[in-house]
Amino acid sequence: MTSLTRAEAADRAELLTVESYDIDLDLTTGDTRFRSTTTIRFRAARPGSATFVEVKPAELRSVRLNDTPVDAAGLDGNRLPLSGLRAENVLVVEAEMAYTRTGEGLHRFVDPADGETYLYAMSFLDDGQRIFASFDQPDLKAPVTLSVTAPQGWVVAANGALDGTVTDGRRRFVTTRPLATYLVSLIAGPYHARHDEHDGIPLAIYCRRSLAAHLDKDADEIFTVTRQCLDRFHQLFDVRYPFGKYDQAFVPEFNAGAMENPGLVTIRDDYVFRSAVTDSQRELRACTIAHEMAHMWFGDLVTMRWWDDLWLNESFAEYLGSRVTAEATRFTAAWTTFGLRRKGWGYAADQRPSTHPVAPEEVADSAQALLNFDGISYAKGASVLRQLVAWVGDEAFLAGLNAHFAEHAYGNATLADLLAALRRAGGRDLSGWAAAWLREAQVNTLRVEAEVDGAGRYGEVAVVQTAPASHPVLRPHRIGLGLFDRSGTGVVLRERLEIDLDPAVDGGRTVVEGLRGQPAADLLLPNHGDLTYAKVRLDPASAAAVPLILPLLDDSLARAVLWTEMIEAVRDAERPVGDLVALVLAALPVETEAVVVEDVLWVAGRFIDRYLDPAGRSVARGLVAQACDRLLAGAAPGGSVQLAAAHGLIAAADDPARLAAWLAGDGVPAGIEVDDDLRWMLLHRLAVFGAVDQAAIDAEAARDRSAAGAEWAARCTAARPDPAAKERAWREIVGDLELSNRLIEARAAGFWQPEQVELTGSYVERYFAEMPEMARVRTPWVADEIAQLAFPAYAVDPRTRELAAALLARDDIEPGLRRMVTDADDDLRRALAARTGR
Ligand SMILES: [Zn+2]
């Protein structure tokens, strides 16, 4: 399919004004196709001119422009040319559309638990064209009136509320406020629903029937978080929630975390928890709710003009998601999660060869836009906004946002519009700030230099800012400096300073005058409060004290900054993985935040499996398992930390006998329930070791007939050290187009295991040989996922990099594959550097 370019979109926006979309869908015409009739009313600035409309039908049945037939054979890919436009036009497009199994367009899912069928629409980016005809670009917004004919007994919900009664299965929904085409959505099927109301806004949550009991159990928590977030946004913003009702539908096999369709947010139904989860997983759900709600203003009310301002959507939603979660819900440590988990994602993405500015000058087309939904547009952008708030003050920041909403409500805006609003509100010119932070890629390092005299007092203390040679840009930062002292059995914060680093004044070496002559602290922590986005490096004395001080620090955000400091130093091969493992042993057994346990173990596991050779890996895994065991022994039974420790132990354990015992219910710590997901986690590790056969996996799948069970079973099968199982899984990963997005991804997630490098050796070459075709035949989102998951990440060998270089030298590969291989190759480069000591 041809990807819409920025220039084409600009031309079309200049020519057309879309008045309305009338979309009529018939979902009663079989299991593979549905009927779609779109009526678009639009004006053209120059009568007699030509344009094109986008649609991706299974069969284009008829097209009429101003009551004159248009030849359907003119459809070229997804574009149908339209000529002879009048000042006022009516276009009617009738088509047969295909249901998808890839999470793009109108996804159709049959629940293995009970055979019921569920649909949901994902119009995001340019997949609305798989459902209805449209001028598919973010700045041609129009009111949408949707009608849907659905089978008896189905629930149908859409962006707008149901309008009147249902006749012969046909429902009409109220006309929406102007929407961007990528935000049109619906769900249809025998969905289970719960309703509520808050502050005059009707609320609903939906899920599959087979998940009803699990949703009901958490309905109070979900509605409570929703109400708290709505209230908080109404305090922050002058404009009330603008789209009537607020539905949140938990839908199956969803690609993203969630999607911000106005009035009908869709959320992956993995967030309907069927097994025990940690509070950090609940916090993630709350944060997702807050994130999507933030989009109602950022993205939905005011929409970016083109995808190069994607960050105006995602960075703001990410920032406000964490902020509102921390300020309004019980998950008050949301900034700790952001600091450790989300910023880590940002730092990793920002240091790869594919890095780009938060706000790129120009994104050429929509295919390129998809690749920018990454750690930079989300996590780095949100971090930069947090720094902006520290820089200009919260009052000016919010005043600027509110002016921006007032000016562009129901319309579109750009970075320049937002900066103008912020400048007017704060009276401070942000152009220099924006140039350094938003228009330049890569991350700075802030290194503390501290002189201490013979009496233990600070001489000169400085924060030295550096930039990578590839992007030699120093930035202004406002940061906290925390002075921590050991005291009795604990650690106290003696003082916190806030300082400005202004490279224009000091060339990047900022002397902290306030510290001269003060007694040296046991730990001098830069970026205390985590206000800026930068890698930090401690002074040597502070670094040496971390293993003693980190376990005693009450402040989880300060712990997150310290863990991140260690993790980024290991990634840069400035410190060995062994230092991180030693810190895990020293500090993790007394950790009190589940998210710290989960994230540190996850990152440590990635480093251990890739940066160490097999002998080193085995030793390191043993030490991590020891830390998990000590944490398990000390944590409150039934609590989140205990559960996180159990998950960590299962991932690190090299002892099949112990895992098998747990699966049989023997030796499980009190407070841990061996429920569905825990059973699958155990079985997955046992499958990796070859300690269970296919019959055991099949038996578990028969016991757990849920969709989640089917995904786990596929993953376990692909993980077995069995040549035939590997071969079958590989063929399905590369070319089985019948399997759903999730069932393919499950196979790819199970395929490569660090324990099976020899067994899977021949697939390293096959990856590079076969992925170009995979990426051509699969849809972009799924292809990108597979390219990433199926990459031979454990083949840490110069040969793998040679193969990657040969693939990247080709000019006939899909852009998504190019991005994924470029990034994965850079990760390999770092792994090789760590193994060889560079
Ligand atoms: Zn978002």
Side-chain angles (χ1 to χ4, degrees):
M1 295 287 166
T2 317
S3 195
L4 186 68
T5 69
R6 187 178 193 268
E8 288 170 333
D11 284 349
R12 193 162 62 174
E14 190 258 324
L15 180 66
L16 303 187
T17 306
V18 184
E19 308 266 284
S20 68
Y21 282 96
D22 224 301
I23 303 166
D24 195 338
L25 304 178
D26 185 350
L27 309 177
T28 62
T29 59
D31 294 351
T32 57
R33 289 182 177 190
F34 60 99
R35 289 288 293 274
S36 163
T37 305
T38 312
T39 305
I40 313 177
R41 291 182 170 75
F42 65 100
R43 285 187 280 126
R46 292 185 301 278
S49 58
T51 187
F52 57 91
V53 68
E54 287 112 319
V55 63
K56 297 175 183 169
E59 185 189 341
L60 189 55
R61 293 173 67 99
S62 90
V63 182
R64 297 181 74 79
L65 177 63
N66 301 323
D67 274 334
T68 307
V70 176
D71 186 2
L75 184 68
D76 179 12
N78 62 333
R79 292 183 179 190
L80 185 69
L82 303 172
S83 57
L85 299 182
R86 297 179 189 162
E88 308 266 344
N89 301 275
V90 180
L91 176 71
V92 182
V93 180
E94 285 183 56
E96 299 262 339
M97 298 290 200
Y99 291 115
T100 68
R101 294 218 63 197
T102 64
E104 300 148 305
L106 195 54
H107 185 89
R108 186 173 187 276
F109 173 80
V110 178
D111 193 337
D114 56 13
E116 297 285 4
T117 299
Y118 296 91
L119 310 177
Y120 64 85
M122 180 65 161
S123 295
F124 164 73
L125 201 65
D126 55 5
D127 282 324
Q129 301 164 31
R130 300 177 192 276
I131 305 169
F132 59 99
S134 68
F135 300 111
D136 203 5
Q137 61 188 69
D139 60 345
L140 286 176
K141 296 167 79 168
V144 176
T145 309
L146 179 70
S147 302
V148 178
T149 305
Q152 191 89 47
W154 276 24
V155 171
V156 185
N159 300 97
L162 198 60
D163 187 6
T165 53
V166 181
T167 42
D168 295 334
R170 190 162 189 277
R171 302 142 172 87
R172 197 181 146 86
F173 295 89
V174 297
T175 302
T176 67
R177 310 300 295 260
L179 300 186
T181 45
Y182 76 92
L183 294 169
V184 174
S185 193
L186 71 139
I187 60 166
Y191 278 95
H192 170 70
R194 293 285 297 261
H195 296 275
D196 203 334
E197 186 269 345
H198 180 63
D199 195 13
I201 301 168
L203 307 177
I205 50 178
Y206 297 93
C207 74
R208 289 181 272 140
R209 277 185 188 168
S210 63
L211 296 176
H214 306 304
L215 184 74
D216 288 351
K217 187 162 46 76
D218 279 359
D220 273 353
E221 178 169 316
I222 294 167
F223 279 132
T224 298
V225 166
T226 304
R227 285 191 290 265
Q228 289 167 331
C229 293
L230 273 171
D231 286 346
R232 186 66 186 134
F233 281 115
H234 284 158
Q235 288 165 1
L236 296 174
F237 297 155
D238 297 341
V239 181
R240 268 180 65 85
Y241 169 68
F243 297 105
K245 71 183 174 75
Y246 198 75
D247 293 351
Q248 297 172 96
F250 294 88
V251 297
E253 298 190 323
F254 201 66
N255 282 325
M259 180 68 203
E260 65 269 23
N261 317 296
L264 177 63
V265 173
T266 41
I267 307 176
R268 57 167 49 209
D269 68 14
D270 314 65
Y271 280 139
V272 180
F273 304 128
R274 63 185 199 136
S275 295
V277 293
T278 63
D279 248 12
S280 103
Q281 288 164 285
R282 292 182 179 278
E283 180 194 290
L284 185 61
R285 180 171 68 187
C287 214
T288 301
I289 289 171
H291 174 116
E292 303 311 324
M293 199 180 284
H295 275 308
M296 298 298 143
W297 288 265
F298 265 106
D300 297 2
L301 177 68
V302 180
T303 308
M304 71 218 139
R305 184 159 297 290
W306 179 245
W307 299 105
D308 37 21
D309 274 328
L310 169 68
W311 80 285
L312 285 178
N313 278 13
E314 295 308 340
S315 306
F316 276 89
E318 174 100 359
Y319 167 76
L320 288 163
S322 291
R323 174 174 171 166
V324 167
T325 301
E327 290 175 354
T329 76
R330 76 181 170 94
F331 303 104
T332 52
W335 284 120
T336 299
T337 306
F338 179 78
L340 198 54
R341 177 178 291 169
R342 304 298 282 188
K343 286 179 82 171
W345 181 35
Y347 294 135
D350 206 12
Q351 296 179 78
R352 291 192 178 119
S354 62
T355 187
H356 56 84
V358 170
E361 297 274 0
E362 206 165 293
V363 171
D365 58 25
S366 50
Q368 200 61 38
L370 181 62
L371 302 178
N372 283 356
F373 280 77
D374 59 11
I376 295 168
S377 296
Y378 285 74
K380 180 183 179 181
S383 310
V384 170
L385 290 175
R386 196 155 192 236
Q387 173 62 201
L388 175 64
V389 172
W391 192 252
V392 301
D394 202 37
E395 213 174 304
F397 177 72
L398 290 173
L401 298 197
N402 279 313
H404 184 68
F405 295 145
E407 196 168 342
H408 302 286
Y410 303 108
N412 296 80
T414 64
L415 168 60
D417 296 325
L418 180 73
L419 291 178
L422 287 167
R423 185 181 58 237
R424 284 196 300 273
R428 190 166 179 179
D429 179 15
L430 290 172
S431 54
W433 183 92
W437 278 106
L438 301 174
R439 293 298 201 200
E440 298 284 350
Q442 265 279 4
V443 56
N444 297 115
T445 301
L446 307 180
R447 193 180 296 272
V448 177
E449 293 176 358
E451 288 175 5
V452 179
D453 67 16
R457 292 182 179 275
Y458 282 126
E460 184 169 281
V461 177
V463 179
V464 179
Q465 181 178 184
T466 54
S470 61
H471 294 79
V473 179
L474 300 182
R475 297 177 172 88
H477 299 258
R478 177 161 293 174
I479 63 166
L481 281 180
L483 278 73
F484 291 91
D485 293 324
R486 297 187 64 187
S487 161
T489 56
V491 167
V492 293
L493 175 65
R494 186 208 312 167
E495 192 184 349
R496 178 180 193 277
L497 292 81
E498 212 159 282
I499 59 168
D500 284 339
L501 311 183
D502 189 348
V505 171
D506 57 28
R509 188 173 195 280
T510 308
V511 176
V512 188
E513 290 300 344
L515 290 181
R516 197 184 293 272
Q518 282 206 38
D522 289 322
L523 170 71
L524 178 55
L525 181 63
N527 203 20
H528 182 247
D530 204 23
L531 296 179
T532 201
Y533 173 85
K535 298 193 281 187
V536 300
R537 297 287 194 265
L538 307 178
D539 66 275
S542 293
V546 168
L548 289 172
I549 288 184
L550 179 54
L552 304 173
L553 268 178
D554 290 334
D555 176 353
S556 68
L557 188 54
R559 298 201 299 279
V561 172
L562 283 175
W563 280 113
T564 303
E565 190 260 353
M566 173 62 83
I567 287 165
E568 294 306 322
V570 173
R571 198 197 309 279
D572 287 344
E574 272 191 33
R575 302 184 74 152
V577 179
D579 284 6
L580 174 58
V581 173
L583 193 58
V584 166
L585 262 180
L588 218 62
V590 295
E591 180 54 56
T592 53
E593 280 290 336
V595 71
V596 177
V597 176
E598 289 167 346
D599 272 63
V600 167
L601 289 177
W602 187 82
V603 174
R606 293 284 293 174
F607 284 145
I608 289 167
D609 287 347
R610 308 191 58 206
Y611 284 29
L612 300 178
D613 61 20
R617 186 176 72 221
S618 171
V619 172
R621 275 175 171 261
L623 295 172
V624 169
Q626 224 180 81
C628 292
D629 256 326
R630 283 165 50 196
L631 184 55
L632 262 179
S640 288
V641 169
Q642 189 201 31
L643 185 58
H647 292 164
L649 185 66
I650 293 169
D654 273 339
D655 176 5
R658 187 170 181 198
L659 299 174
W662 275 30
L663 188 58
D666 294 337
V668 183
I672 300 286
E673 190 198 339
V674 186
D675 53 25
D676 289 330
D677 285 343
L678 203 74
R679 288 180 64 84
W680 280 115
M681 281 178 217
L682 290 162
L683 206 66
H684 178 253
R685 285 303 292 163
L686 289 166
V688 171
F689 295 125
V692 291
D693 58 11
Q694 188 59 41
I697 297 168
D698 294 344
E700 190 65 21
R703 208 188 64 80
D704 174 12
R705 294 191 175 281
S706 67
E711 288 174 28
W712 270 116
R715 183 171 170 183
C716 289
T717 299
R720 289 180 55 225
D722 169 57
K726 292 289 181 198
E727 178 61 30
R728 192 166 51 247
W730 187 259
R731 287 210 197 136
E732 288 161 344
I733 290 165
V734 172
D736 188 329
L737 300 180
E738 299 301 310
L739 287 168
S740 73
N741 50 344
R742 285 298 187 84
L743 290 173
I744 311 161
E745 285 157 20
R747 285 161 170 81
F751 190 88
W752 298 101
Q753 301 290 341
E755 293 84 355
Q756 299 170 358
V757 169
E758 278 180 35
L759 174 74
T760 51
S762 65
Y763 291 90
V764 177
E765 304 255 351
R766 286 179 67 178
Y767 175 91
F768 296 100
E770 296 174 30
M771 282 298 139
E773 180 61 12
M774 182 288 297
R776 250 189 304 277
V777 298
R778 293 202 182 280
T779 48
W781 192 302
V782 179
D784 292 358
E785 277 300 305
I786 296 299
Q788 195 175 17
L789 286 170
F791 188 87
Y794 305 117
V796 182
D797 190 300
R799 173 71 185 145
T800 313
R801 294 207 64 207
E802 286 168 23
L803 290 165
L807 182 73
L808 293 171
R810 289 171 54 170
D811 57 8
D812 62 341
I813 61 173
E814 300 294 319
L817 179 62
R818 181 175 300 282
R819 167 71 73 92
M820 297 305 154
V821 171
T822 301
D823 290 351
D825 172 64
D826 191 56
D827 292 351
L828 268 186
R829 176 187 64 79
R830 286 178 182 267
L832 275 167
R835 284 200 192 187
T836 58
R838 202 172 292 271

